[in-house]
Amino acid sequence: MVQRIQSLYLLLVGIIAGGLTFVFNIWSTANAKVFSLDLFAANSIMEKIVPILFIISALLAVVTIFMFKNRKLQFVLGRLNILTNLFLLGVLVYLSLTLSGETSVSEKGIGMFLPVISIVLLVLANKAIKKDEDLVKSVDRLR
């Protein structure tokens, strides 16, 4: 049952949250200081939360793939992952709007949009899980 379409969506979320976020920059300032997801180089507590949330999102996506026997739990974990990514997106927007000492224009990287892509993929995965659950319920009615 790992060959279902929602498994592909969840695998993509795991790759995006677990791997691509550590490759792409989140933003860079005018003095060429690049903010990436380095947990040990973070200055504030908010900057330390971002990599942790990305790792939680990736782990939730991978765990959700293997919950195919319990579709209700899989659906709930998908929603929890959507909430995690929404919180992550809020933290990223907050951090980008409150950069200290920013007098010139900063450049936002593609890393800021990766939670949005993850949310879209998670919604598609939850739709496919719901479709599978409805199919199983309709077959049970026929028995």
Side-chain angles (χ1 to χ4, degrees), residues 64-81:
T64 306
I65 291 173
F66 297 107
M67 294 290 173
F68 57 86
K69 290 186 179 182
N70 191 350
R71 285 176 299 280
K72 290 181 184 179
L73 180 62
Q74 193 178 28
F75 190 76
V76 170
L77 287 176
R79 285 206 173 167
L80 182 65
N81 204 350

Side-chain angles (χ1 to χ4, degrees), residues 4-14 60-61 64-65 71 74-79 81-82 117-133:
R4 299 181 304 173
I5 188 71
Q6 59 262 32
S7 299
L8 179 66
Y9 292 144
L10 291 168
L11 181 66
L12 286 174
V13 169
L60 267 175
T64 306
I65 291 173
R71 285 176 299 280
Q74 193 178 28
F75 190 76
V76 170
L77 287 176
R79 285 206 173 167
N81 204 350
I82 290 171
I117 296 169
S118 294
I119 290 170
V120 170
L121 289 171
L122 286 166
V123 167
L124 290 173
N126 272 357
K127 273 188 172 182
I129 293 167
K130 181 73 172 146
K131 189 172 139 185
D132 280 354
E133 184 66 26

Side-chain angles (χ1 to χ4, degrees), residues 17-136:
L20 291 182
T21 55
F22 297 100
V23 174
F24 295 117
N25 295 333
I26 295 178
W27 65 80
S28 60
T29 59
N31 59 0
K33 184 177 179 187
V34 175
F35 289 87
S36 61
L37 295 178
D38 189 6
L39 185 61
F40 301 108
N43 295 328
S44 69
I45 192 94
M46 292 299 275
E47 290 178 12
K48 290 181 181 183
I49 289 175
V50 174
I52 293 170
L53 286 173
F54 272 120
I55 291 170
I56 288 172
S57 177
L59 287 176
L60 267 175
V62 171
V63 166
T64 306
I65 291 173
F66 297 107
M67 294 290 173
F68 57 86
K69 290 186 179 182
N70 191 350
R71 285 176 299 280
K72 290 181 184 179
L73 180 62
Q74 193 178 28
F75 190 76
V76 170
L77 287 176
R79 285 206 173 167
L80 182 65
N81 204 350
I82 290 171
L83 289 175
T84 303
N85 278 301
L86 284 173
F87 182 69
L88 175 64
L89 187 62
V91 168
L92 287 175
V93 167
Y94 172 77
L95 285 175
S96 70
L97 293 177
T98 60
L99 287 175
S100 62
E102 181 82 20
T103 57
S104 59
V105 178
S106 63
E107 179 183 331
K108 309 300 188 269
I110 194 160
M112 294 286 287
F113 297 108
L114 291 178
V116 175
I117 296 169
S118 294
I119 290 170
V120 170
L121 289 171
L122 286 166
V123 167
L124 290 173
N126 272 357
K127 273 188 172 182
I129 293 167
K130 181 73 172 146
K131 189 172 139 185
D132 280 354
E133 184 66 26
D134 291 342
L135 180 67
V136 168

